[in-house]
Amino acid sequence: MPDIIRINSTFKKELEVYMNKSEPALRHWNEPELGYFIAESPKVIERALSAGYEPVSLLMQDKDIEGEAAQIVAMCGDIPLYTAGFDEITDITGFNLIRGALCLLRRKIHPTVAEVCKNARRIAVLENVVNPTNVGAVFRSAAALNMDAVILTHNCSDPLYRRSTRVSMGNVFLVPWTYIPENEMNYPEILNNLGFKTVAMALTDNSVSIEDEKLNAEDRLAVILGTEGEGLLDSTIESCDYTVKIPMSNGVDSLNIAAASAVAFWQLGVRKEK
């Protein structure tokens, strides 16, 4: 059972990580030791805990300890649990705790690309996707639509940022993921060497339809999606085995990455028996 600590205005130092630390600062806190991240809402926190992330402390309204957050409280062992009423927490921290709970968790060491891809048949790759909302939405689609893993380039937004985990509904903790090493520029070649055919999702004339039967006939596919607005780098497109375009109608020229990923994953994912 966590150590329940009722807070007041003197607890500024204990709550500093929830109040004043930016997410990049938390990510690099304690270097060279592992940093931290904050998960928000009981569902997201539960999925993080179930995935093996180590909790450091909790912050929640006192009414939720035996209410909506009871399950995560039971999962967290004897860590500090800071609590007060809604108005008190708002006055002390400066923000409205409207989603029930916050949990500070310790990060894990990232697996290698080879480790994440070892048993995968379909993976998603995000290139320079900087919007955390879009990263979270892609993870949610990946979990729902038969992607076995997600790989990110180093310029992508962090999947463990609070907005990404929340938008994904905690699915960032269900789908294996990692980063491509920062010095690896031609990552489609890395994926080819791991046995994947690479698919660049791009709006080019030199492309095949996403409905092309050759795509689903491939045993292993890596579906690569680019940054908002600019899309994939030309060098990435040139390095891929396929360039694929989603057919459009009514003069619409493109979909945002969240919608495009859902279409691509549904069409190209390996259907799994229920």
Side-chain angles (χ1 to χ4, degrees):
M1 183 72 177
D3 179 16
I4 298 175
I5 304 168
R6 187 162 185 85
I7 60 174
N8 55 46
S9 59
T10 67
F11 279 76
K12 297 293 187 182
K13 184 175 182 180
E14 291 86 346
L15 300 177
E16 183 180 10
V17 291
Y18 296 105
M19 296 165 52
N20 301 321
K21 294 293 184 182
S22 68
E23 292 189 294
L26 284 175
R27 181 178 183 177
H28 297 288
W29 206 12
N30 286 343
E31 285 186 336
E33 301 297 324
L34 295 174
Y36 300 105
F37 69 98
I38 293 174
E40 181 178 5
S41 87
K43 177 184 284 291
V44 173
I45 295 168
E46 180 185 348
R47 288 186 167 174
L49 295 172
S50 296
Y53 286 90
E54 177 189 349
V56 178
S57 66
L58 286 160
L59 173 65
M60 67 181 66
Q61 295 181 63
D62 44 20
K63 72 179 182 64
D64 291 324
I65 294 174
E66 296 181 359
E68 292 185 6
Q71 184 167 345
I72 62 171
V73 170
M75 296 172 70
C76 279
D78 59 357
I79 65 172
L81 190 166
Y82 300 107
T83 185
F86 178 84
D87 291 339
E88 293 169 289
I89 291 176
T90 301
D91 289 342
I92 295 166
T93 65
F95 59 80
N96 296 331
L97 188 62
I98 59 175
R99 292 181 176 85
L102 296 175
C103 185
L104 181 70
L105 299 114
R106 198 178 308 277
R107 289 174 176 268
K108 295 181 181 181
I109 297 173
H110 293 303
T112 66
V113 173
E115 287 169 340
V116 166
C117 292
K118 183 177 180 181
N119 297 314
R121 293 188 60 195
R122 295 292 187 270
I123 65 171
V125 183
L126 302 186
E127 181 181 276
N128 302 337
V129 178
V130 298
N131 186 314
T133 297
N134 285 338
V135 170
V138 171
F139 267 89
R140 188 172 182 179
S141 292
L145 301 172
N146 303 309
M147 292 291 112
D148 299 311
V150 177
I151 309 296
L152 305 98
T153 64
H154 262 269
N155 289 330
C156 286
S157 179
D158 187 343
L160 296 184
Y161 282 173
R162 193 186 309 177
R163 184 154 185 81
S164 292
T165 61
R166 189 170 70 239
V167 169
S168 79
M169 296 297 290
N171 284 299
V172 297
F173 306 113
L174 298 182
V175 180
W177 63 273
T178 195
Y179 285 102
I180 294 164
E182 193 168 6
N183 59 347
E184 297 287 357
M185 301 302 293
N186 188 14
Y187 65 85
E189 183 179 355
I190 296 173
L191 297 173
N192 284 155
N193 291 337
L194 291 172
F196 290 90
K197 293 293 186 180
T198 49
V199 174
M201 301 297 300
L203 298 171
T204 66
D205 293 331
N206 183 25
S207 62
V208 299
S209 170
I210 197 171
E211 300 171 323
D212 194 304
E213 293 181 359
K214 292 185 296 185
L215 296 170
N216 278 321
E218 296 286 3
D219 183 54
R220 307 180 87 191
L221 280 181
V223 182
I224 305 176
L225 301 116
T227 186
E228 304 86 350
E230 297 179 4
L232 293 172
L233 298 172
D234 289 341
S235 58
T236 299
I237 297 172
E238 292 168 3
S239 298
C240 284
D241 299 296
Y242 297 97
T243 302
V244 171
K245 182 163 61 175
I246 298 171
M248 302 283 172
S249 59
N250 295 319
V252 177
D253 61 358
S254 66
L255 299 172
N256 67 33
I257 185 174
S261 68
V263 173
F265 300 165
W266 168 254
Q267 181 65 32
L268 301 176
V270 175
R271 302 290 189 267
K272 298 177 181 178
E273 295 182 4
K274 294 184 178 180

